[in-house]
Amino acid sequence: VVVQLTGIAPVAETERSVTRRICKAIKAQIGAGRFGLGARLPSTRSLAAEWGVSRTTVTAAYEQLIAEGYLETRRGARARVAQSLVRDISTKQRPAPERIAHRLSRYGQRLDAFSLPPTPSGSVNVDFRYGDMSAADFPTLVWKKAVSAALLRRPKRLRYGDPNGSPELRAALQGYLWRARGLRCDAEQIVVVNGSQQGLDLCARLLLDPGDRVFIENPSYNLAQQTFIAAGAELIPLDVDREGMRTDGLRDARLAYVTPSHQFPLGSVLSAGRRQDLLAWAQRSGAYVIEDDYDSEYRFDIGPIPALQTLDRAERVIYLGTVSKTLSPTLRLGYLVVPAALRFAFGKAKRLADRHTPGLEQEALADLLASGAYERHVRRARRRNGSRRAALLSALSDILGDQVTVVGADAGLHVLVWLNQVPRAQEDELIARARAAGLGLHAISPLYAHPVSDGRPDLAGLVMGYASLSEQDIEQGVRGLKLILDHFGPSPCADG
Amino acid sequence: VVVQLTGIAPVAETERSVTRRICKAIKAQIGAGRFGLGARLPSTRSLAAEWGVSRTTVTAAYEQLIAEGYLETRRGARARVAQSLVRDISTKQRPAPERIAHRLSRYGQRLDAFSLPPTPSGSVNVDFRYGDMSAADFPTLVWKKAVSAALLRRPKRLRYGDPNGSPELRAALQGYLWRARGLRCDAEQIVVVNGSQQGLDLCARLLLDPGDRVFIENPSYNLAQQTFIAAGAELIPLDVDREGMRTDGLRDARLAYVTPSHQFPLGSVLSAGRRQDLLAWAQRSGAYVIEDDYDSEYRFDIGPIPALQTLDRAERVIYLGTVSKTLSPTLRLGYLVVPAALRFAFGKAKRLADRHTPGLEQEALADLLASGAYERHVRRARRRNGSRRAALLSALSDILGDQVTVVGADAGLHVLVWLNQVPRAQEDELIARARAAGLGLHAISPLYAHPVSDGRPDLAGLVMGYASLSEQDIEQGVRGLKLILDHFGPSPCADG
């Protein structure tokens, strides 16, 4: 049977080459059943005449279809529809979307409980969102120079890098961690990761099985909680007071996640006694402690608190650092310091996760660390954020007075503000009203893994980040908060 | 008890401030047991005199130690050693390293079977390692300009980006995939990942539970195999012939991983009939198909093979692309096209994996795609690699003749070379001899998940990548291979 290629449907303009159009037409004919299995195709001569193209073009189309398995040919014979083409899929009914079953792994199912953050809307004038940084603070020229230098000194060949991180960056980080944090380690213990989130995720994958227990501070960083929940772990929240996480509740578990230098979000420092308790517990029970040192560069009135890792004698602490608070959250650069015995496991997990952290970023950061530019930048960023902090603290005090109680202001890039006249039950309403007025406020409640905590007053609380705001914005934001708060006065009688 | 701070051990030069040195000294004294719990510290006046510093300095040290929880103080009273400091950890015996137990998750234990790649040694003159790219082919100036532009047009604030990828890059990729691969999708279906490895890893996490079955091609990409094994899956290898993976062995499973446009490493194209079989199987069994389209930009004699995804009517195919073969493997940029119903699950998993892919890289790639510079670059890279391929094919033919059989040369950046006179058992020895002679060769055997395959000849085979080599290097490398092969002749009688 020779089938005529007449009545071909109009071809979309986006089809770029005639060859491609011929291929598409033949596939459509096969799909519509005009060519049966084994049917001979037109000769290249007749098809060329029909399309008004050269035979070479038609031959190219046939070769393409042979390569794709639609046609087959025997020496000297005309091309035929491949016998292996059992059924027509191009005309098959597409199942109705609701009938399509999508089944996820248990890991995927556990993610269902989480929501993605809403796309930031442009209507917010002042946003105290924690984690945002001012683009003006980023050392643009220094970074641009470092990236350009890295691009120009490229080796002859580009190949996958060391999964644990580039040797240059790890050596530079080793020196930095010793200078800035008193932390002694071998460069081999350092694993370069895509921001602290990847560090947490690698820890969860390597250390936790479903059902394992993990101690966390209550309240604590919500993505850390999600990471452990996604791993199938059982979270056990421990209350936080002025000495940091209460360690008297520690019992058998696989992991504890702590922010000992500056508890997130409450701001307390884990006391020396509790550090001892925590490390002794970890050693006794064979558990690990993740020390998230997320903002230790910013400590304003006292010196830096030594890392918990420096007290660890039993290879129990995994130290987690980031440049998200010093350079930019969008760079996605962080590092782990892991017990030497675990470095290969982390390297293998990192390799399967994404081979390695992007090369140019690693080189640029290594450059900044080696030249001292990073520490100069950190000192400048600390001064700038010190001014923002001062502006926020004095605005809170001057404008809001005893309407608020401010805690955790010694360090970091946020303060915690309890609203003395707003009960916790009205937190959501307050946030919504503020947003309607163009003011971005962020509640503490979502950070509590367990709603009941001894230390928590029955008040609405705000995590107020200030690193992305100017002093003017900060004052304007606090004035906006004042307006909102005046709707939440102690009693309606106070009105008028 | 007032304890004298005499006999303080010499302080290392690296201690930077006097405050820090005083803190360290006091901690050491507490650690050594010279201060009991509750012991009063020297007055600031006497300690200042002893150190020859101002009282302010000593006060700062005491405040630091109070903040860290080593000391406590009551209004007006002298500082004391904190009562909560129950035990001295600084003098605690460090357990002998061999006595420290490190227990990994089952995921971590499964990684034990894998080895990390050896650090590349500098002694190799010509290396045919697949995956390496020539740095000279990288569009350095274009990339530098795009990164600089992205740095300079930064918004006012730096904040975490969309976990699924920047809207600009996803829109640009959508257009590119339609132009280059005939692939129609919504931008919302695209997930930007850190190279195809992260795409594979996210698929494994979201779709596989331990014990699930996964079909793979035999042979196939070894890191894909490792990713599924690490997820606890049972791998079922299917033989590959000239029509790609044999689909007659498909039965109930959760996933199939295929390279339909250019089977890695054998080079065949999955035929149209088998594409139908594969998609029908996936629809029938509710399984997913990962289409790894790792090198479709490089197809030399025929046009590009349409993506399997274009035939999918039942939301079964997850398409995986990368710029590792067009720009650089060290950038770590890739993308998934996932069924619309799965986009939130992938977004949540990506967010927990590392928040999002680095921002500057995403912006730069979006720029290159939008301006047409990416496709111009790909055309240039295709020409350059076409010349390398021609050099390799003619060197193999001219120098080695019937000592080798070359397959899979239509496309991609590698060819597969069977060594007709070297039995498979001698593959390792050949590789080792070549390496000793400064020639990097890479065997096919590690890519076989199952050593028995109908299609595999009982010969040593080499995966020869050429994208990082000059034509001269390629010829020199093949001459080197000739020298090695002459030691593996058909019989010793053939010698001299």
Side-chain angles (χ1 to χ4, degrees), chain A residues 64 87 101-103 105 114 132-133 157-159 194 201 205 254 272 276 288 303 316 348 361, chain B residues 64 87 101-103 105 114 132-133 157-159 194 205-206 254 276 288 303 316 348 361:
Chain A
Q64 178 75 26
R87 119 181 42 75
H102 285 290
R103 198 183 83 188
S105 65
F114 311 139
D132 292 1
M133 303 277 293
R157 54 170 60 198
L158 304 170
R159 56 165 49 170
N194 302 348
D201 191 43
R205 296 179 85 170
R254 291 287 297 140
Q276 293 175 334
Y288 293 96
R316 296 290 109 197
K348 290 175 188 179
E361 264 84 357
Chain B
Q64 177 76 25
R87 136 182 21 87
H102 285 288
R103 198 184 81 187
S105 65
F114 310 138
D132 292 1
M133 302 279 291
R157 54 170 61 196
L158 304 170
R159 55 165 53 170
N194 303 346
R205 297 179 84 173
L206 284 173
R254 292 287 297 140
Q276 293 175 334
Y288 293 95
R316 296 289 108 196
K348 291 175 187 177
E361 263 85 357

Side-chain angles (χ1 to χ4, degrees), chain A residues 213-402:
Chain A
R213 279 192 292 272
V214 174
F215 284 105
I216 57 164
E217 300 162 333
N218 191 35
S220 65
Y221 176 48
N222 54 348
L223 278 198
Q225 295 179 37
Q226 288 190 16
T227 304
F228 303 132
I229 291 170
E234 180 196 346
L235 264 58
I236 311 177
L238 294 174
D239 285 347
V240 173
D241 60 23
R242 292 180 57 192
E243 288 188 58
M245 184 177 80
R246 288 183 55 167
T247 47
D248 48 359
L250 288 169
R251 56 197 171 84
D252 195 39
R254 291 287 297 140
L255 194 66
Y257 167 77
V258 293
T259 48
S261 293
H262 186 231
Q263 203 277 328
F264 185 80
L266 295 176
S268 43
V269 174
L270 190 66
S271 70
R274 291 194 182 167
R275 285 172 191 241
Q276 293 175 334
D277 287 345
L278 182 61
L279 293 175
W281 162 81
Q283 186 168 354
R284 210 164 50 234
S285 52
Y288 293 96
V289 177
I290 299 178
E291 172 178 28
D292 189 348
D293 200 34
Y294 63 106
D295 71 358
S296 61
E297 296 82 2
Y298 299 99
R299 185 149 276 281
F300 300 107
D301 293 333
I302 55 173
I305 305 293
L308 179 68
Q309 199 268 5
T310 63
L311 302 174
D312 180 25
R313 297 287 178 279
E315 304 189 4
R316 296 290 109 197
V317 174
I318 295 172
Y319 176 93
L320 180 54
T322 179
V323 304
S324 293
K325 309 281 176 268
T326 53
L327 290 170
S328 167
T330 70
L331 284 179
R332 314 309 306 128
L333 276 171
Y335 41 90
L336 294 166
V337 181
V338 304
L342 296 185
R343 67 188 192 280
F344 295 119
F346 273 88
K348 290 175 188 179
K350 171 69 176 163
R351 184 167 182 241
L352 289 188
D354 61 5
R355 288 267 194 179
H356 60 77
T357 291
L360 287 174
E361 264 84 357
Q362 290 196 64
E363 286 190 61
L365 181 59
D367 252 24
L368 263 63
L369 285 164
S371 70
Y374 182 76
E375 278 152 285
R376 282 195 298 278
H377 166 73
V378 168
R379 283 195 293 275
R380 197 163 48 237
R382 192 185 295 130
R383 278 197 304 276
R384 290 194 187 168
N385 284 309
S387 307
R388 293 185 179 109
R389 166 181 170 267
L392 178 59
L393 292 179
S394 67
L396 288 170
S397 160
D398 297 350
I399 297 168
L400 294 174
D402 56 12

Side-chain angles (χ1 to χ4, degrees), chain A residues 138-157:
Chain A
F138 185 81
T140 305
L141 293 178
V142 172
W143 191 259
K144 198 154 87 74
K145 212 173 126 190
V147 170
S148 298
L151 271 168
L152 294 173
R153 72 164 166 264
R154 279 287 174 90
K156 199 176 144 212
R157 54 170 60 198

Side-chain angles (χ1 to χ4, degrees), chain B residues 67-235:
Chain B
E68 294 181 20
Y70 283 92
L71 305 183
E72 56 192 11
T73 185
R74 274 179 222 95
R75 196 180 297 266
R78 206 181 285 173
R80 290 169 179 274
V81 175
Q83 292 286 355
S84 61
L85 210 61
V86 284
R87 136 182 21 87
D88 162 35
I89 47 174
S90 65
T91 58
K92 175 168 291 180
Q93 284 298 308
R94 190 191 184 106
E98 67 275 14
R99 292 198 46 220
I100 294 178
H102 285 288
R103 198 184 81 187
L104 296 179
S105 65
R106 287 188 287 276
Y107 178 86
Q109 289 165 28
R110 287 192 290 262
L111 299 184
D112 231 21
F114 310 138
S115 53
L116 285 165
T119 310
S121 88
S123 62
V124 175
N125 301 319
V126 176
D127 195 339
F128 286 98
R129 188 158 84 148
Y130 178 72
D132 292 1
M133 302 279 291
S134 162
D137 288 4
F138 185 82
T140 303
L141 293 179
V142 172
W143 192 258
K144 197 155 89 74
K145 213 172 125 189
V147 169
S148 298
L151 272 168
L152 294 173
R153 72 165 168 264
R154 279 287 175 89
K156 200 177 145 208
R157 54 170 61 196
L158 304 170
R159 55 165 53 170
Y160 294 113
D162 188 329
N164 290 65
S166 88
E168 292 76 20
L169 177 54
R170 287 191 285 159
L173 282 169
Q174 182 202 23
Y176 170 73
L177 287 170
W178 165 235
R179 294 191 302 276
R181 306 294 290 120
L183 194 151
R184 278 184 207 272
C185 66
D186 292 330
E188 285 67 36
Q189 290 175 256
I190 296 177
V191 185
V192 177
V193 289
N194 303 346
S196 55
Q197 184 57 40
Q198 187 176 50
L200 286 173
D201 191 43
L202 291 177
C203 288
R205 297 179 84 173
L206 284 173
L207 305 176
L208 294 178
D209 284 312
D212 282 345
R213 280 192 292 271
V214 175
F215 283 104
I216 57 165
E217 299 162 332
N218 191 36
S220 65
Y221 176 47
N222 55 347
L223 278 198
Q225 295 180 37
Q226 288 189 16
T227 304
F228 303 133
I229 292 170
E234 179 197 346
L235 264 57

